[in-house]
Amino acid sequence: MADKGTPRGRAARATGDQALGVLLAVYRFTPTIGFEALREVSQRTNTELRVITRNVIDWALGAPLPEVVGRELDSAVERAWRAAEEYRID
């Protein structure tokens, strides 16, 4: 794992932040919910988080998401919205 203080660690952190920003902009998530969605996709696809974040950034730039990543991201988004509805106060 890259140390946050090294150039590689800072680059990994920047990539994660960019992917998180994509989810915040597209789905209007909070940072916590966006990170949880990325983490879920990573775990459910058995793919390293750094690969998932790169996929999301590439998607924002016009590339298609790998099918399994897209499917799991859709599921994570749906779960996040359902959970938010449960806690919503009108």
Side-chain angles (χ1 to χ4, degrees):
M1 186 164 124
D3 179 10
K4 292 179 189 176
T6 66
R8 183 174 173 203
R10 287 189 297 273
R13 174 68 188 236
T15 301
D17 288 347
Q18 290 170 4
L20 188 56
V22 169
L23 297 186
L24 272 60
V26 172
Y27 299 111
R28 302 185 58 98
F29 283 163
T30 64
T32 301
I33 293 171
F35 180 77
E36 182 63 21
L38 290 171
R39 188 189 62 76
E40 278 187 38
V41 172
S42 173
Q43 288 182 340
R44 290 175 180 266
T45 62
N46 196 30
T47 305
E48 291 181 14
L49 186 58
R50 68 178 179 80
V51 174
I52 299 300
T53 58
R54 185 75 250 168
N55 290 156
V56 170
I57 293 167
D58 290 345
W59 173 61
L61 297 172
L65 282 172
E67 185 177 337
V68 67
V69 173
R71 186 172 52 246
E72 288 302 331
L73 182 58
D74 288 345
S75 294
V77 167
E78 187 62 35
R79 283 188 297 276
W81 282 118
R82 275 198 312 263
E85 286 295 317
E86 289 178 23
Y87 295 104
R88 193 162 131 200
I89 299 172
D90 291 324

